[in-house]
Amino acid sequence: MRVSKEYQIAFMMAAAAFFTLVGYEFIRSPATVLFKNTWGAENLPLVMSAMPVVVFGGVALYGWILSHLGPRRTLLVTSLGSSCFIVACYFGLLTGSKMVTPILFLIKELYIVLLIEQYWSYINSSLTPTTAKKVNGPITGIAGLGGVVGGSVGSLIVGPLGTEAMVLAAALMLIPAAIVSNLTYRLHGEPEAPDTSDESISHHMGWQMFRSNPTLVCLLAIVLSSQVIAAVLDFKFNELLSVEFAGATDMETAFQLRFWGFLNLASIGLQFVIAPLLLSFIALRLVHLMLPLIHFSAIIFAIIEPSVFSVGLAFFLFKAFDYSIFRAAKEILYIPLEFDARYRAKEVIDVFGYRTGKGGSSVLIALAQRAGVIMGNYYLYIAFFMAAIWLTLVFPLTRQKSG
């Protein structure tokens, strides 16, 4: 009966993530293209530099809501609230406001991780490590199908509907996601949470957990370094695409939608087949070590022969593994931890850490650009250096998790 309940929770939360990721594919490329057309690709690091502040505020608000409403209602409020905010951005686009594009770019970076990590917080609170090794890959696979559907459908409808209309479609997809995730909580209950309604904002966010838990510290450091890799590969890829598709907005949007659609399709094979096999038959430490080594190889290829193909391949591989094997392996580390680690510290790591890795590096890149440094020449070397840091951090992270 216990195992049956675990599988039900896993499937239902994966279904909620499916709808959320369909919507995210509808908004990801349009938000990026609209920003680049308004402010230029060279200003992507500048807008990303605001990400740490935006995400810190988002995680702090999430922690406060969690303390007062509990996990179920917090997920419901943040899901529907995100939908309403995106709708407001859509109407702002219709007015021709230039300031809407950076706001939309930032909110799409925040809402997706905030919601996805809440799904995983509940999954990690409900599954045993044994079950997680079997189903974490398929969970990401079902969710990843949403990315495939969103990318495929989006590339077909963006032409007749236009780039701006995709934003509204993204907001609408959050409604079924909210319904399914709320139903999961209703059917299977909420994990018991300590009363923290009167605690400080730092406690709401779970910062106190990092002082006593080295696993959380290592996870945060790995996430930060890995997301610097994601940021610089993203910047380099978009820089090359802006040259390739100069003056062709809808063509670039369609290309990016196809790119993300194929990426999510590749991830499905990793999620449904490779991840369960690796986690079941190979030591967790070896799985974690394998990932930065793969990225080393792809980044070296891009450094030797920089092009849309080679940089796109490095970015493609990073995202494919990030969405599948890294996600599945990382989530297992949260399962034995207490509620605040799973619901609060996890949001700091996987929401604030993920976006701050991008945003913090963007601050430095933007400052260097203002000083006259052509940062595009150094993106790939930064990625290589951060992959080395990631590899080093795996050893203390998995010191007691080698089985």
Side-chain angles (χ1 to χ4, degrees):
M1 184 64 68
R2 163 72 182 177
V3 174
S4 176
K5 178 181 177 180
E6 291 181 54
Y7 279 97
Q8 289 175 27
I9 291 172
F11 174 78
M12 293 182 73
M13 278 303 188
F18 170 90
F19 290 114
T20 301
L21 286 170
V22 170
Y24 183 57
E25 292 306 324
F26 286 167
I27 197 174
R28 183 207 318 242
S29 298
T32 301
V33 172
L34 288 169
F35 176 83
K36 290 199 300 180
N37 286 351
T38 304
W39 302 97
E42 68 277 7
N43 284 313
L44 280 173
L46 184 61
V47 69
M48 284 296 295
S49 68
M51 186 58 64
V53 176
V54 171
V55 175
F56 182 87
V59 173
L61 178 61
Y62 158 82
W64 183 85
I65 296 172
L66 178 65
S67 295
H68 289 81
L69 298 183
R72 181 185 66 82
R73 288 185 290 176
T74 296
L75 179 53
L76 187 62
V77 167
T78 52
S79 297
L80 297 180
S82 297
S83 179
C84 292
F85 199 97
I86 294 170
V87 169
C89 288
Y90 167 72
F91 285 110
L93 289 173
L94 296 184
T95 68
S97 171
K98 290 185 177 181
M99 288 309 301
V100 172
T101 56
I103 294 173
L104 182 64
F105 184 92
L106 291 168
I107 196 64
K108 62 96 173 171
E109 293 285 323
L110 171 62
Y111 94 88
I112 185 63
V113 287
L114 190 63
L115 298 184
I116 292 294
E117 297 313 325
Q118 287 182 79
Y119 302 151
W120 277 106
S121 290
Y122 189 52
I123 291 168
N124 293 338
S125 299
S126 307
L127 272 57
T128 63
T130 300
T131 303
K133 289 181 178 181
K134 298 176 182 178
V135 304
N136 275 10
I139 289 170
T140 58
I142 294 170
L145 283 171
V148 175
V149 172
S152 301
V153 173
S155 65
L156 294 175
I157 65 176
V158 65
L161 296 182
T163 298
E164 292 81 359
M166 302 302 296
V167 175
L168 180 60
L172 296 177
M173 292 308 300
L174 287 175
I175 297 174
I179 293 172
V180 173
S181 59
N182 191 60
L183 179 62
T184 309
Y185 268 105
R186 288 286 193 183
L187 291 175
H188 299 290
E190 300 183 50
E192 185 175 350
D195 182 11
T196 56
S197 59
D198 296 326
E199 298 286 351
S200 65
I201 187 66
S202 63
H203 190 97
H204 290 319
M205 295 181 69
W207 287 109
Q208 76 285 354
M209 301 294 300
F210 292 88
R211 291 197 296 268
S212 59
N213 195 319
T215 296
L216 295 176
V217 175
C218 288
L219 276 171
L220 178 58
I222 286 176
V223 164
L224 287 169
S225 60
S226 70
Q227 291 310 298
V228 173
I229 298 172
V232 293
L233 290 179
D234 192 355
F235 294 153
K236 187 66 178 179
F237 189 47
N238 271 286
E239 179 184 278
L240 294 171
L241 287 178
S242 290
V243 175
E244 187 80 12
F245 293 96
T249 300
D250 288 346
M251 286 182 63
E252 183 182 353
T253 300
F255 175 86
Q256 290 214 27
L257 284 165
R258 287 194 298 272
F259 174 86
W260 290 105
F262 285 129
L263 190 155
N264 287 313
L265 188 61
S267 296
I268 288 174
L270 295 170
Q271 291 157 347
F272 279 110
V273 180
I274 305 301
L277 290 174
L278 286 176
L279 294 174
S280 297
F281 298 106
I282 297 179
L284 191 60
R285 165 173 278 194
L286 294 179
V287 174
H288 278 283
L289 284 171
M290 174 191 70
L291 297 170
L293 291 174
I294 290 174
H295 300 318
F296 267 128
S297 302
I299 293 167
I300 288 172
F301 173 55
I303 290 173
I304 294 172
E305 188 64 39
S307 64
V308 169
F309 173 77
S310 64
V311 175
L313 177 64
F315 190 44
F316 186 99
L317 290 174
F318 179 89
K319 286 294 186 180
F321 281 100
D322 189 41
Y323 289 169
S324 56
I325 296 172
F326 182 55
R327 161 70 76 176
K330 175 168 63 70
E331 295 302 328
I332 293 174
L333 301 175
Y334 287 107
I335 291 175
L337 305 181
E338 58 188 280
F339 178 90
D340 280 346
R342 285 182 272 110
Y343 270 90
R344 298 183 191 278
K346 177 174 171 54
E347 297 295 315
V348 172
I349 294 169
D350 293 329
V351 179
F352 180 71
Y354 258 77
R355 293 323 190 203
T356 299
K358 285 185 175 182
S361 59
S362 297
V363 171
L364 299 177
I365 290 170
L367 291 174
Q369 286 177 333
R370 289 296 179 93
V373 179
I374 303 175
M375 288 303 299
N377 295 337
Y378 303 101
Y379 286 149
L380 297 177
Y381 296 99
I382 295 171
F384 182 87
F385 177 72
M386 298 311 296
I389 294 177
W390 180 356
L391 179 62
T392 302
L393 289 167
V394 170
F395 291 96
L397 173 72
T398 59
R399 183 173 292 121
Q400 296 177 334
K401 308 288 192 306
S402 58

Short mmCIF file of all heavy atoms in Angstrom, two decimals, residues 39-87:
data_model
loop_
_atom_site.label_atom_id
_atom_site.label_comp_id
_atom_site.label_asym_id
_atom_site.label_seq_id
_atom_site.Cartn_x
_atom_site.Cartn_y
_atom_site.Cartn_z
N TRP A 39 16.02 45.31 -26.58
CA TRP A 39 17.20 45.85 -25.90
C TRP A 39 18.53 45.34 -26.46
O TRP A 39 19.60 45.86 -26.08
CB TRP A 39 17.13 45.52 -24.40
CG TRP A 39 15.90 46.07 -23.74
CD1 TRP A 39 14.73 45.39 -23.49
CD2 TRP A 39 15.70 47.40 -23.27
NE1 TRP A 39 13.81 46.22 -22.89
CE2 TRP A 39 14.38 47.47 -22.73
CE3 TRP A 39 16.50 48.54 -23.23
CZ2 TRP A 39 13.86 48.62 -22.17
CZ3 TRP A 39 15.97 49.70 -22.67
CH2 TRP A 39 14.67 49.75 -22.15
N GLY A 40 18.49 44.30 -27.31
CA GLY A 40 19.73 43.78 -27.90
C GLY A 40 20.28 42.60 -27.13
O GLY A 40 20.19 42.54 -25.91
N ALA A 41 20.88 41.64 -27.85
CA ALA A 41 21.43 40.44 -27.22
C ALA A 41 22.57 40.77 -26.26
O ALA A 41 22.78 40.06 -25.27
CB ALA A 41 21.93 39.47 -28.30
N GLU A 42 23.27 41.87 -26.53
CA GLU A 42 24.39 42.24 -25.66
C GLU A 42 23.94 42.63 -24.26
O GLU A 42 24.75 42.67 -23.32
CB GLU A 42 25.19 43.40 -26.29
CG GLU A 42 24.45 44.73 -26.35
CD GLU A 42 23.52 44.87 -27.56
OE1 GLU A 42 23.35 43.86 -28.28
OE2 GLU A 42 22.98 45.96 -27.77
N ASN A 43 22.65 42.90 -24.09
CA ASN A 43 22.12 43.29 -22.78
C ASN A 43 21.51 42.13 -22.00
O ASN A 43 20.94 42.34 -20.92
CB ASN A 43 21.08 44.40 -22.93
CG ASN A 43 21.74 45.75 -23.20
OD1 ASN A 43 22.69 46.12 -22.52
ND2 ASN A 43 21.25 46.46 -24.19
N LEU A 44 21.61 40.90 -22.53
CA LEU A 44 21.14 39.74 -21.78
C LEU A 44 21.86 39.61 -20.43
O LEU A 44 21.21 39.37 -19.39
CB LEU A 44 21.32 38.46 -22.60
CG LEU A 44 20.24 38.18 -23.66
CD1 LEU A 44 20.64 36.98 -24.51
CD2 LEU A 44 18.88 37.93 -23.00
N PRO A 45 23.20 39.77 -20.38
CA PRO A 45 23.84 39.72 -19.06
C PRO A 45 23.34 40.81 -18.11
O PRO A 45 23.28 40.59 -16.89
CB PRO A 45 25.33 39.91 -19.38
CG PRO A 45 25.47 39.45 -20.79
CD PRO A 45 24.19 39.86 -21.46
N LEU A 46 22.99 41.97 -18.65
CA LEU A 46 22.52 43.07 -17.80
C LEU A 46 21.20 42.74 -17.14
O LEU A 46 21.02 42.94 -15.92
CB LEU A 46 22.39 44.35 -18.63
CG LEU A 46 22.01 45.62 -17.86
CD1 LEU A 46 23.07 45.95 -16.82
CD2 LEU A 46 21.83 46.79 -18.83
N VAL A 47 20.25 42.19 -17.91
CA VAL A 47 18.96 41.84 -17.32
C VAL A 47 19.11 40.66 -16.37
O VAL A 47 18.46 40.60 -15.31
CB VAL A 47 17.89 41.56 -18.40
CG1 VAL A 47 18.17 40.28 -19.17
CG2 VAL A 47 16.49 41.51 -17.79
N MET A 48 20.00 39.72 -16.71
CA MET A 48 20.21 38.58 -15.83
C MET A 48 20.87 39.01 -14.52
O MET A 48 20.73 38.33 -13.50
CB MET A 48 21.09 37.54 -16.52
CG MET A 48 20.36 36.72 -17.58
SD MET A 48 19.04 35.71 -16.91
CE MET A 48 19.97 34.57 -15.89
N SER A 49 21.57 40.14 -14.53
CA SER A 49 22.22 40.61 -13.30
C SER A 49 21.20 41.00 -12.24
O SER A 49 21.52 41.06 -11.05
CB SER A 49 23.14 41.79 -13.60
OG SER A 49 22.40 42.94 -14.00
N ALA A 50 19.96 41.27 -12.66
CA ALA A 50 18.91 41.58 -11.70
C ALA A 50 18.29 40.33 -11.08
O ALA A 50 17.52 40.41 -10.12
CB ALA A 50 17.81 42.41 -12.37
N MET A 51 18.65 39.16 -11.63
CA MET A 51 18.02 37.92 -11.19
C MET A 51 18.21 37.61 -9.71
O MET A 51 17.26 37.20 -9.04
CB MET A 51 18.53 36.76 -12.05
CG MET A 51 17.84 35.43 -11.78
SD MET A 51 16.04 35.52 -12.02
CE MET A 51 16.00 35.87 -13.78
N PRO A 52 19.42 37.79 -9.13
CA PRO A 52 19.56 37.46 -7.70
C PRO A 52 18.59 38.23 -6.81
O PRO A 52 18.04 37.67 -5.87
CB PRO A 52 21.02 37.83 -7.40
CG PRO A 52 21.72 37.69 -8.71
CD PRO A 52 20.73 38.12 -9.73
N VAL A 53 18.39 39.50 -7.10
CA VAL A 53 17.47 40.31 -6.30
C VAL A 53 16.04 39.83 -6.46
O VAL A 53 15.29 39.67 -5.48
CB VAL A 53 17.58 41.80 -6.68
CG1 VAL A 53 16.56 42.64 -5.91
CG2 VAL A 53 18.99 42.32 -6.43
N VAL A 54 15.64 39.57 -7.71
CA VAL A 54 14.27 39.12 -7.99
C VAL A 54 14.02 37.76 -7.33
O VAL A 54 12.98 37.55 -6.69
CB VAL A 54 14.05 39.02 -9.52
CG1 VAL A 54 12.71 38.36 -9.83
CG2 VAL A 54 14.11 40.41 -10.15
N VAL A 55 14.96 36.85 -7.46
CA VAL A 55 14.77 35.51 -6.92
C VAL A 55 14.83 35.51 -5.40
O VAL A 55 14.06 34.79 -4.74
CB VAL A 55 15.82 34.54 -7.51
CG1 VAL A 55 15.71 33.17 -6.85
CG2 VAL A 55 15.63 34.40 -9.01
N PHE A 56 15.73 36.32 -4.83
CA PHE A 56 15.77 36.41 -3.37
C PHE A 56 14.42 36.87 -2.83
O PHE A 56 13.88 36.30 -1.87
CB PHE A 56 16.86 37.38 -2.91
CG PHE A 56 17.00 37.48 -1.42
CD1 PHE A 56 17.82 36.60 -0.72
CD2 PHE A 56 16.30 38.44 -0.69
CE1 PHE A 56 17.94 36.67 0.66
CE2 PHE A 56 16.41 38.53 0.69
CZ PHE A 56 17.24 37.64 1.36
N GLY A 57 13.85 37.89 -3.47
CA GLY A 57 12.52 38.36 -3.06
C GLY A 57 11.47 37.29 -3.24
O GLY A 57 10.59 37.11 -2.39
N GLY A 58 11.55 36.54 -4.36
CA GLY A 58 10.58 35.49 -4.61
C GLY A 58 10.66 34.36 -3.60
O GLY A 58 9.64 33.87 -3.11
N VAL A 59 11.88 33.94 -3.27
CA VAL A 59 12.06 32.85 -2.30
C VAL A 59 11.67 33.31 -0.90
O VAL A 59 11.08 32.54 -0.12
CB VAL A 59 13.52 32.34 -2.32
CG1 VAL A 59 13.76 31.33 -1.21
CG2 VAL A 59 13.83 31.70 -3.67
N ALA A 60 11.99 34.57 -0.56
CA ALA A 60 11.60 35.10 0.75
C ALA A 60 10.08 35.14 0.88
O ALA A 60 9.52 34.76 1.92
CB ALA A 60 12.19 36.49 0.94
N LEU A 61 9.40 35.59 -0.18
CA LEU A 61 7.94 35.62 -0.15
C LEU A 61 7.38 34.21 -0.07
O LEU A 61 6.42 33.95 0.69
CB LEU A 61 7.42 36.32 -1.41
CG LEU A 61 5.89 36.40 -1.57
CD1 LEU A 61 5.28 37.19 -0.40
CD2 LEU A 61 5.52 37.04 -2.91
N TYR A 62 7.96 33.28 -0.82
CA TYR A 62 7.54 31.88 -0.75
C TYR A 62 7.67 31.34 0.67
O TYR A 62 6.76 30.68 1.18
CB TYR A 62 8.39 31.04 -1.71
CG TYR A 62 8.40 29.57 -1.36
CD1 TYR A 62 7.37 28.73 -1.75
CD2 TYR A 62 9.46 29.02 -0.62
CE1 TYR A 62 7.38 27.38 -1.41
CE2 TYR A 62 9.48 27.68 -0.29
CZ TYR A 62 8.43 26.86 -0.67
OH TYR A 62 8.44 25.54 -0.32
N GLY A 63 8.81 31.60 1.32
CA GLY A 63 9.03 31.11 2.67
C GLY A 63 8.01 31.66 3.65
O GLY A 63 7.52 30.94 4.53
N TRP A 64 7.69 32.93 3.51
CA TRP A 64 6.69 33.56 4.39
C TRP A 64 5.32 32.94 4.17
O TRP A 64 4.60 32.63 5.12
CB TRP A 64 6.65 35.07 4.13
CG TRP A 64 5.70 35.80 5.04
CD1 TRP A 64 5.96 36.28 6.28
CD2 TRP A 64 4.33 36.14 4.75
NE1 TRP A 64 4.84 36.90 6.80
CE2 TRP A 64 3.83 36.82 5.88
CE3 TRP A 64 3.50 35.94 3.65
CZ2 TRP A 64 2.52 37.31 5.94
CZ3 TRP A 64 2.19 36.41 3.71
CH2 TRP A 64 1.72 37.08 4.84
N ILE A 65 4.95 32.74 2.90
CA ILE A 65 3.65 32.13 2.58
C ILE A 65 3.60 30.70 3.12
O ILE A 65 2.60 30.26 3.68
CB ILE A 65 3.39 32.14 1.06
CG1 ILE A 65 3.29 33.58 0.55
CG2 ILE A 65 2.09 31.39 0.72
CD1 ILE A 65 3.22 33.68 -0.97
N LEU A 66 4.71 29.96 2.94
CA LEU A 66 4.77 28.58 3.42
C LEU A 66 4.54 28.52 4.93
O LEU A 66 3.84 27.64 5.43
CB LEU A 66 6.12 27.97 3.07
CG LEU A 66 6.38 26.53 3.54
CD1 LEU A 66 5.43 25.56 2.86
CD2 LEU A 66 7.83 26.14 3.28
N SER A 67 5.13 29.45 5.67
CA SER A 67 4.98 29.46 7.12
C SER A 67 3.55 29.72 7.55
O SER A 67 3.09 29.22 8.57
CB SER A 67 5.89 30.53 7.74
OG SER A 67 7.26 30.22 7.52
N HIS A 68 2.83 30.50 6.75
CA HIS A 68 1.47 30.89 7.14
C HIS A 68 0.38 30.03 6.51
O HIS A 68 -0.71 29.89 7.09
CB HIS A 68 1.23 32.36 6.79
CG HIS A 68 2.00 33.32 7.66
ND1 HIS A 68 3.33 33.61 7.45
CD2 HIS A 68 1.63 34.03 8.75
CE1 HIS A 68 3.75 34.48 8.36
NE2 HIS A 68 2.73 34.74 9.17
N LEU A 69 0.64 29.47 5.33
CA LEU A 69 -0.42 28.72 4.62
C LEU A 69 -0.15 27.22 4.53
O LEU A 69 -1.07 26.45 4.24
CB LEU A 69 -0.61 29.29 3.21
CG LEU A 69 -1.07 30.74 3.10
CD1 LEU A 69 -1.29 31.11 1.63
CD2 LEU A 69 -2.35 30.99 3.90
N GLY A 70 1.09 26.80 4.71
CA GLY A 70 1.41 25.38 4.56
C GLY A 70 1.72 25.04 3.11
O GLY A 70 1.47 25.84 2.20
N PRO A 71 2.26 23.84 2.86
CA PRO A 71 2.72 23.47 1.51
C PRO A 71 1.64 23.48 0.44
O PRO A 71 1.87 23.96 -0.67
CB PRO A 71 3.29 22.06 1.71
CG PRO A 71 3.61 21.96 3.15
CD PRO A 71 2.59 22.80 3.86
N ARG A 72 0.46 22.92 0.73
CA ARG A 72 -0.57 22.81 -0.30
C ARG A 72 -1.05 24.16 -0.79
O ARG A 72 -1.04 24.45 -1.98
CB ARG A 72 -1.77 22.00 0.22
CG ARG A 72 -2.87 21.84 -0.85
CD ARG A 72 -4.10 21.13 -0.29
NE ARG A 72 -4.79 21.91 0.73
CZ ARG A 72 -5.66 22.89 0.46
NH1 ARG A 72 -5.94 23.21 -0.81
NH2 ARG A 72 -6.25 23.55 1.43
N ARG A 73 -1.47 25.00 0.13
CA ARG A 73 -2.00 26.30 -0.27
C ARG A 73 -0.91 27.22 -0.82
O ARG A 73 -1.18 28.07 -1.67
CB ARG A 73 -2.72 26.95 0.91
CG ARG A 73 -4.07 26.28 1.23
CD ARG A 73 -4.83 27.02 2.31
NE ARG A 73 -4.17 26.88 3.61
CZ ARG A 73 -4.58 27.49 4.72
NH1 ARG A 73 -5.62 28.30 4.67
NH2 ARG A 73 -3.94 27.31 5.86
N THR A 74 0.32 27.04 -0.37
CA THR A 74 1.43 27.82 -0.93
C THR A 74 1.62 27.50 -2.40
O THR A 74 1.80 28.40 -3.24
CB THR A 74 2.73 27.55 -0.16
OG1 THR A 74 2.57 28.00 1.19
CG2 THR A 74 3.89 28.29 -0.79
N LEU A 75 1.58 26.21 -2.74
CA LEU A 75 1.72 25.82 -4.14
C LEU A 75 0.57 26.35 -4.97
O LEU A 75 0.76 26.83 -6.10
CB LEU A 75 1.80 24.29 -4.25
CG LEU A 75 1.94 23.71 -5.66
CD1 LEU A 75 3.11 24.34 -6.42
CD2 LEU A 75 2.09 22.20 -5.60
N LEU A 76 -0.63 26.31 -4.42
CA LEU A 76 -1.80 26.82 -5.15
C LEU A 76 -1.68 28.33 -5.39
O LEU A 76 -1.92 28.82 -6.50
CB LEU A 76 -3.08 26.51 -4.36
CG LEU A 76 -4.41 26.83 -5.04
CD1 LEU A 76 -4.57 26.03 -6.32
CD2 LEU A 76 -5.57 26.57 -4.08
N VAL A 77 -1.29 29.06 -4.36
CA VAL A 77 -1.18 30.52 -4.48
C VAL A 77 -0.07 30.91 -5.46
O VAL A 77 -0.27 31.79 -6.31
CB VAL A 77 -0.90 31.15 -3.09
CG1 VAL A 77 -0.46 32.60 -3.23
CG2 VAL A 77 -2.15 31.07 -2.22
N THR A 78 1.07 30.26 -5.37
CA THR A 78 2.17 30.62 -6.28
C THR A 78 1.88 30.20 -7.72
O THR A 78 2.32 30.86 -8.66
CB THR A 78 3.50 29.99 -5.80
OG1 THR A 78 3.32 28.58 -5.58
CG2 THR A 78 3.97 30.64 -4.51
N SER A 79 1.14 29.12 -7.92
CA SER A 79 0.78 28.69 -9.28
C SER A 79 -0.17 29.69 -9.93
O SER A 79 0.09 30.19 -11.04
CB SER A 79 0.13 27.30 -9.25
OG SER A 79 1.02 26.33 -8.76
N LEU A 80 -1.27 29.99 -9.25
CA LEU A 80 -2.26 30.91 -9.82
C LEU A 80 -1.74 32.34 -9.85
O LEU A 80 -2.06 33.11 -10.77
CB LEU A 80 -3.56 30.82 -9.03
CG LEU A 80 -4.26 29.44 -9.07
CD1 LEU A 80 -5.54 29.46 -8.24
CD2 LEU A 80 -4.55 29.02 -10.51
N GLY A 81 -0.93 32.70 -8.85
CA GLY A 81 -0.34 34.04 -8.85
C GLY A 81 0.59 34.24 -10.02
O GLY A 81 0.61 35.31 -10.65
N SER A 82 1.39 33.22 -10.35
CA SER A 82 2.28 33.30 -11.51
C SER A 82 1.48 33.46 -12.79
O SER A 82 1.85 34.25 -13.68
CB SER A 82 3.15 32.05 -11.59
OG SER A 82 4.00 31.93 -10.47
N SER A 83 0.38 32.72 -12.90
CA SER A 83 -0.46 32.82 -14.08
C SER A 83 -1.00 34.24 -14.25
O SER A 83 -0.95 34.81 -15.35
CB SER A 83 -1.62 31.82 -13.98
OG SER A 83 -2.47 31.92 -15.10
N CYS A 84 -1.49 34.81 -13.18
CA CYS A 84 -2.04 36.18 -13.24
C CYS A 84 -0.97 37.19 -13.61
O CYS A 84 -1.21 38.12 -14.39
CB CYS A 84 -2.68 36.55 -11.90
SG CYS A 84 -4.17 35.62 -11.52
N PHE A 85 0.23 37.03 -13.07
CA PHE A 85 1.31 37.97 -13.36
C PHE A 85 1.71 37.90 -14.84
O PHE A 85 1.96 38.93 -15.48
CB PHE A 85 2.51 37.67 -12.47
CG PHE A 85 3.49 38.80 -12.36
CD1 PHE A 85 3.44 39.66 -11.28
CD2 PHE A 85 4.44 39.01 -13.34
CE1 PHE A 85 4.33 40.72 -11.18
CE2 PHE A 85 5.35 40.06 -13.24
CZ PHE A 85 5.29 40.92 -12.16
N ILE A 86 1.76 36.69 -15.39
CA ILE A 86 2.12 36.53 -16.80
C ILE A 86 1.04 37.13 -17.69
O ILE A 86 1.35 37.75 -18.72
CB ILE A 86 2.35 35.04 -17.13
CG1 ILE A 86 3.60 34.54 -16.37
CG2 ILE A 86 2.54 34.84 -18.63
CD1 ILE A 86 3.78 33.03 -16.45
N VAL A 87 -0.23 36.97 -17.31
CA VAL A 87 -1.32 37.59 -18.08
C VAL A 87 -1.15 39.11 -18.10
O VAL A 87 -1.34 39.77 -19.13
CB VAL A 87 -2.69 37.20 -17.50
CG1 VAL A 87 -3.80 38.05 -18.12
CG2 VAL A 87 -2.97 35.72 -17.75
#
